[in-house]
Amino acid sequence: MTERIAELAADYDQSGAFPADSLKIAHDAGLLTATIGEQYGGRGARVEESARILHLIGQGDPSVALIAAMTLNTHARQAVQPHWPAELYARLVKESFGRPVLVNHARVEPELGSPARGGLPSTLARRTPDGWSLSGTKRFVTGAEGLDWFLVWATTDEPEPRVGTFLVPGGSPGIEITGRWDQLGLRASGSHDVTFRDMEIPYEHVIGIGPYGAAAEQDNRAGAALHLPLAALYLGVARAAQSFFHTFAHSRVPANLGHPVARTERFRRAAGEIEVLLAAAEQLVFDGAARVDSGDSAYTPEQALGARVLADRHGVRAVELAVRLLGNPGLARGNPLERHFRDIQCAPVHAPQEDISLLAIGTKALNP
């Protein structure tokens, strides 16, 4: 599965098109539905298995893995704490077993930025006789062109405003991509800006709604179930870069050397450092995920945040080392390593970013 997705990755990276074929490959392998809870007829994959799934898909194409991650996390949360309208979620599950059904949150806004740093959404939900009318613009909505459901974070226009997540069917009239994703890395992730104009939402298609205080603040200490698999995804990118580095080292035979550069101390030393970086990061991530699954109360949210910080650092450093050893060939367009180098730069961008994570970790360390 990873190899088949990898074969398509370069073309998707170049075109920036929605990676529908690759997502179908992942779906046919049973990966997009892996975290559907056993109570809903799924196999109930938890944090460690989610991390390993995204690690594998990430080796093939991290854009595909990131789109998959958002859907996997939605099902995982529902399995642990049901919060969707029962009939709607049952329909979602039934459709998901038959085809790739994609779901993602739409939270970031042009002026607000990431909710990880606090603040309230300007996207507005107005009460109507039958429910809500939703309007606003969201940024960086991964997989936007192929989403079946947008989970839109918005504020109500009630006398005492509340905030909540409004379930918007993809493809509905009033949804428009108003800003195209054109980034250095993860070019096929389709993380476009999306504008919602007077979207009619049934009253019951709202989850997590509540008053400003509790619902508005994003708990950056929580969410190990997403932080650890996300870290694993980018370690998959680094492993793909390592694989290409090894292939190059064994095949490159300079005329003045007479044997592959893999036999030189310089390349062997770099290969050792790359392996140490990645093996240590994977141990942190996968062991942490296993502890979360086991219910280990000694494993703290700060440890999960720290594992992701170190994994991102190690992954970025490992790919940089590979590029440095290859020199110009490593930065040539069309070279897989060049693409991996661009993709790995996206690892530290995801919320909560490193400074927010370190603040939470440091606060806990100073106030145990």
Side-chain angles (χ1 to χ4, degrees):
M1 181 275 301
T2 301
E3 291 176 358
R4 292 172 62 201
I5 289 176
E7 290 172 358
L8 301 172
D11 286 343
Y12 279 127
D13 173 77
Q14 186 174 26
S15 68
F18 180 75
D21 289 343
S22 295
L23 285 160
K24 187 175 187 306
I25 292 170
H27 174 268
D28 291 347
L31 302 186
L32 297 186
T33 55
T35 54
I36 293 176
E38 293 179 356
Q39 67 268 43
Y40 301 111
R43 77 167 187 261
R46 301 182 68 188
V47 181
E48 184 182 5
E49 186 174 351
S50 296
R52 294 192 182 278
I53 286 170
L54 294 177
H55 187 260
L56 286 171
I57 302 176
Q59 292 178 50
D61 188 338
S63 290
V64 176
L66 188 62
I67 295 170
M70 304 310 166
T71 296
L72 288 171
N73 186 56
T74 297
H75 290 304
R77 289 183 60 200
Q78 178 71 14
V80 173
Q81 187 175 5
H83 54 286
W84 277 59
E87 290 185 6
L88 182 60
Y89 189 71
R91 191 178 89 201
L92 175 69
V93 168
K94 182 178 179 180
E95 293 177 358
S96 296
F97 285 132
R99 64 177 179 85
V101 176
L102 305 174
V103 186
N104 193 11
H105 286 266
R107 293 178 62 84
V108 181
E109 294 185 345
E111 294 186 7
L112 174 66
S114 171
R117 298 182 183 274
L120 294 165
S122 60
T123 300
L124 190 65
R126 296 185 300 277
R127 288 292 282 117
T128 68
D130 299 319
W132 306 93
S133 177
L134 184 77
S135 295
T137 296
K138 298 295 186 180
R139 301 204 71 192
F140 311 134
V141 185
T142 295
E145 290 174 301
L147 293 181
D148 292 87
W149 288 94
F150 293 83
L151 280 57
V152 183
W153 193 49
T155 304
T156 70
D157 71 340
E158 298 166 308
E160 294 185 10
R162 296 178 293 166
V163 291
T165 299
F166 294 75
L167 306 177
V168 179
S172 300
I175 300 176
E176 181 183 357
I177 292 176
T178 50
R180 305 296 300 187
W181 174 254
D182 189 15
Q183 303 290 97
L184 179 74
L186 267 67
R187 291 183 52 78
S189 69
S191 302
H192 306 303
D193 295 357
V194 180
T195 296
F196 302 89
R197 293 189 174 91
D198 300 318
M199 301 295 306
E200 294 297 325
I201 310 297
Y203 182 76
E204 65 274 14
H205 285 196
V206 186
I207 56 179
I209 195 166
Y212 264 7
E217 289 296 326
Q218 177 169 311
D219 185 357
N220 293 315
R221 293 174 60 258
L226 180 60
H227 301 323
L228 295 173
L230 197 60
L233 185 163
Y234 286 101
L235 289 174
V237 178
R239 283 295 189 188
Q242 179 194 43
S243 178
F244 182 83
F245 173 75
H246 288 177
T247 298
F248 178 92
H250 285 293
S251 61
R252 172 64 174 153
V253 182
N256 64 333
L257 194 61
H259 57 74
V261 293
R263 291 167 55 184
T264 66
E265 287 190 9
R266 180 168 173 253
F267 269 78
R268 283 183 288 158
R269 188 176 294 112
E273 185 170 356
I274 290 170
E275 178 58 28
V276 167
L277 287 168
L278 299 185
E282 287 169 352
Q283 183 172 357
L284 274 176
V285 169
F286 294 129
D287 286 1
R291 291 179 67 181
V292 172
D293 286 345
S294 71
D296 184 350
S297 60
Y299 190 77
T300 66
E302 289 77 19
Q303 286 175 288
L305 287 172
R308 193 189 138 203
V309 167
L310 288 177
D312 289 350
R313 287 181 179 180
H314 284 203
V316 170
R317 175 60 177 162
V319 180
E320 287 176 346
L321 282 170
V323 171
R324 183 177 301 175
L325 263 290
L326 267 65
N328 275 332
L331 291 173
R333 290 295 298 270
N335 182 333
L337 186 56
E338 183 265 350
R339 172 162 44 86
H340 301 324
F341 176 77
R342 286 187 286 105
D343 286 339
I344 200 73
Q345 306 309 315
C346 297
V349 171
H350 295 283
Q353 294 175 346
E354 183 173 302
D355 64 311
I356 296 293
S357 297
L358 292 176
L359 177 61
I361 294 166
T363 300
K364 177 67 174 180
L366 290 170
N367 301 282

